[in-house]
Amino acid sequence: MTAQTIVIVGATGDLAQRMLFPSLYFLDSEGKLPDGFRIVGAARASVTPEDFEATAEQSVRARAKGYFTDAAWARFKARLDYHVLDADKAETFVALGEVLKGAGETIFYLSTSPSLYDAISTHLRGAGLVKPGSRVIVEKPIGRDLASSQVINDSLGRTFSEREIFRIDHYLGKETVQNLLALRFANTLFEPLWNKVSIDHVQITVGETVGVEGRWSYYNDYGALRDMVQNHVLQLLCLVAMEPPASLDPDSVRNEKVKVLRSLRPIVGREVERKTVRGQYRAGVADGKTAPGYNEEAGGAPSDTETFVALQANIDNWRWAGVPFYLRTGKRLPNKASQIVIQFRDVPHSIFGGDALAANRLTIRLQPEEEISLTLMNETPSLEGVQLRSVALNLSLTDAFKDQAPRRRIAYERLLLEAIRDNQTLFVRRDEIEAAWSWIDGIVEGWKRFDVKPAPYAAGTWGPAGAFALTERNGQTWYE
Ligand code: BG6
């Protein structure tokens, strides 16, 4: 059923201020929040509700920019409340119970370090705040490996049932990710070709220009493989590779995704040296500015954490046998560019003499622009026989839908709305997380066993040379 209240635990933190309050504000200004919906900020800081409102207003203004209006803010502000909550103090949860009297179905958004999930959920239960219809939203990282993710999931599971746990992967809230489902399952064009017979390989790139900035201590403990591949990149891979689900209901979709994750071929033994590449940025130029190296950002402390990873994944099932999936992600790359490239196979026989034919390529770009493009071979106007050239059929989703969606939505808007409506389709189930960790753990073990260290790359480049060798070895190249 529809939730009536959301409690954001960790409400003064970065995620809440940068993403959650602005997203809720946008939902409210578009009339998407239920009547009487309440938003309770909760955190350790003993600030007054007025000070809390002022901070939230600043954050919302900064994000909403031209979309901020006093009228919308006045309506939003009326929903806001603040409560001091300390994960170490059970009594603060009992006091929260007073605030939540008559609150109706309540969502608890744990925007905190996962190390606090156990204490918070135990106190919520202890204070009698978990009732039929309650649900909890949690953020990654759900663990650092399979074993630690199981500890977190077990601990949440003592208070909430799987049906009540909403694990966020914010990539699932991105518009183009949704569009991937539409492209595959609302058109007849691609699905018959979506397999090893017609597809040569798939590339998934999630590139960022930023470094690790203020998050060094978290990041250094995780690295690109755990921070990005275990979740966002593998979720994209699932949506590309999964079988058509029976419907869009949560379990139909998640059953198909988990089958893909379980079909990932483990990267075993010395294969880590051939099928994975680790990199770490050194000083260079990113986004037109000089950028320090990773170790300098940490004050010179030497580290073996990777800020770049490229992998060759294989999916052992009937649809994808023999089709490599190249995955790559990193910080301080030349562009903030996230894209999925479906490279079709070469034409089996050319009737056009010597002209080289470029195989068709479908590119689904998530960032910076939302675009879909399909390259086709075409004849160039000429009297001299048939002269061929590859041209792109481009669809800019940003332009096509600028009337309906004049601004780019924050991924959290969609996810919060789905949680309010109690729909788990876009949230990650426990078995998905665990299957993803099992595969990732195998790679980490290989790195340890064979002492695979990150190779340096200059900030502002596409990673170490090994990343190019990874695809070239199979006669393929990355598309930028
Ligand atoms: C987060 C990672 O999950 O995703 C960050 O922890 C990363 O390291 C971010 O920067 C990327 O998200 P987006 O939406 O900017 O591509």
Side-chain angles (χ1 to χ4, degrees):
M1 294 247 299
T2 308
Q4 287 302 316
T5 302
I6 187 166
V7 179
I8 299 183
V9 184
T12 51
D14 183 62
L15 176 79
Q17 295 292 327
R18 269 190 320 113
M19 299 290 176
L20 305 183
F21 289 109
S23 296
L24 288 164
Y25 167 85
F26 279 127
L27 288 176
D28 195 21
S29 48
E30 289 184 29
K32 300 288 186 205
L33 294 185
D35 288 343
F37 188 80
R38 290 175 61 199
I39 302 167
V40 181
R44 213 173 297 196
S46 64
V47 293
T48 62
E50 292 70 31
D51 286 346
F52 175 72
E53 264 169 36
T55 311
E57 180 178 347
Q58 259 180 15
S59 305
V60 170
R61 271 182 192 275
R63 184 74 198 216
K65 298 203 171 86
Y67 295 94
F68 187 93
T69 68
D70 290 337
W73 176 254
R75 192 173 53 229
F76 186 71
K77 192 170 88 166
R79 300 179 183 279
L80 278 182
D81 210 342
Y82 182 74
H83 175 78
V84 179
L85 193 76
D86 187 332
D88 292 333
K89 294 188 180 140
E91 64 278 15
T92 60
F93 288 76
V94 175
L96 177 64
E98 291 301 310
V99 178
L100 294 183
K101 279 231 166 84
E105 281 193 10
T106 300
I107 301 175
F108 298 98
Y109 195 127
L110 309 192
S111 177
T112 65
S113 154
S115 61
L116 297 177
Y117 291 172
D118 188 47
I120 295 171
S121 50
T122 306
H123 290 320
L124 287 173
R125 177 161 39 106
L129 302 182
V130 181
K131 305 195 174 126
S134 297
R135 36 205 184 264
V136 67
I137 303 182
V138 287
E139 278 282 338
K140 65 174 267 270
I142 308 280
R144 218 182 146 265
D145 50 23
L146 176 61
S148 52
S149 81
Q150 285 169 331
V151 170
I152 294 176
N153 282 324
D154 285 346
S155 116
L156 287 170
R158 283 192 283 277
T159 299
F160 296 96
S161 69
E162 184 61 31
R163 180 64 194 80
E164 295 163 340
I165 302 176
F166 289 64
R167 296 181 192 82
I168 286 219
D169 183 310
H170 78 277
Y171 269 55
L172 295 180
K174 290 187 190 260
E175 200 72 47
T176 327
V177 173
Q178 291 298 297
N179 206 32
L180 190 56
L181 292 180
L183 190 76
R184 287 195 59 196
F185 304 126
N187 296 289
T188 49
L189 202 60
F190 296 115
E191 205 45 34
L193 305 177
W194 211 258
N195 55 47
K196 62 179 187 302
V197 178
S198 306
I199 293 178
D200 182 72
H201 71 275
V202 175
Q203 303 183 2
I204 302 178
T205 298
V206 179
E208 297 186 272
T209 50
V210 291
V212 289
E213 298 170 324
R215 299 164 73 224
W216 203 88
S217 68
Y218 151 79
Y219 192 88
N220 198 47
D221 211 19
Y222 283 76
L225 184 71
R226 293 182 172 99
D227 182 51
M228 294 296 285
V229 180
Q230 188 272 341
N231 36 76
H232 309 322
V233 178
L234 286 185
Q235 284 292 325
L236 296 179
L237 173 136
C238 284
L239 296 176
V240 172
M242 72 182 184
E243 295 300 313
S247 72
L248 273 188
D249 77 60
D251 280 334
S252 297
V253 172
R254 298 184 302 174
N255 287 345
E256 297 308 334
K257 287 198 290 169
V258 82
K259 280 189 219 162
V260 173
L261 293 167
R262 289 188 181 144
S263 308
L264 283 170
R265 186 187 305 162
I267 296 182
V268 291
R270 290 216 165 256
E271 270 183 351
V272 284
E273 292 168 332
R274 253 183 339 106
K275 290 197 166 176
T276 74
V277 177
R278 300 179 81 194
Q280 191 189 75
Y281 59 83
R282 298 286 185 265
V285 177
D287 251 351
K289 290 180 229 125
T290 52
Y294 178 72
N295 282 328
E296 286 131 54
E297 283 187 330
S303 159
D304 277 345
T305 298
E306 80 285 352
T307 59
F308 173 95
V309 61
L311 305 168
Q312 178 187 329
N314 285 87
I315 300 172
D316 284 336
N317 65 18
W318 279 46
R319 187 187 282 263
W320 295 115
V323 178
F325 280 68
Y326 297 110
L327 316 178
R328 130 183 111 152
T329 183
K331 306 263 183 210
R332 292 275 191 237
L333 300 187
N335 303 316
K336 180 160 178 73
S338 302
Q339 64 180 25
I340 299 167
V341 175
I342 314 290
Q343 177 63 60
F344 289 92
R345 289 197 186 278
D346 285 332
V347 165
H349 166 70
S350 171
I351 60 169
F352 299 101
D355 268 356
L357 301 185
N360 301 126
R361 191 167 70 239
L362 177 70
T363 305
I364 302 148
R365 205 157 288 133
L366 282 72
Q367 290 167 164
E369 296 305 325
E370 298 179 330
E371 295 176 333
I372 295 178
S373 119
L374 177 65
T375 62
L376 299 172
M377 287 309 288
N378 245 268
E379 201 250 351
T380 47
S382 140
L383 287 175
E384 296 300 326
V386 185
Q387 309 228 350
L388 297 171
R389 195 163 53 108
S390 166
V391 289
L393 214 58
N394 283 331
L395 170 63
S396 158
L397 300 170
T398 322
D399 288 349
F401 297 109
K402 63 172 173 293
D403 294 339
Q404 288 94 319
R407 67 179 174 86
R408 201 179 171 131
R409 289 187 193 285
I410 308 174
Y412 285 89
E413 292 176 50
R414 178 191 303 276
L415 297 173
L416 283 163
L417 189 60
E418 293 298 311
I420 290 168
R421 293 179 177 167
D422 203 12
N423 181 1
Q424 286 186 304
T425 302
L426 296 180
F427 296 85
V428 187
R429 210 168 56 187
R430 175 173 183 159
D431 52 359
E432 288 179 74
I433 300 262
E434 296 188 354
W437 274 126
S438 298
W439 191 69
I440 295 287
D441 282 359
I443 298 172
V444 175
E445 267 164 43
W447 284 351
K448 262 198 220 129
R449 183 159 157 223
F450 299 105
D451 201 24
V452 180
K453 296 268 191 284
Y457 64 97
T461 65
W462 281 108
F468 297 95
L470 181 80
T471 49
E472 278 159 15
R473 204 175 291 133
N474 299 338
Q476 291 138 351
T477 42
W478 291 105
Y479 294 103
E480 312 305 354

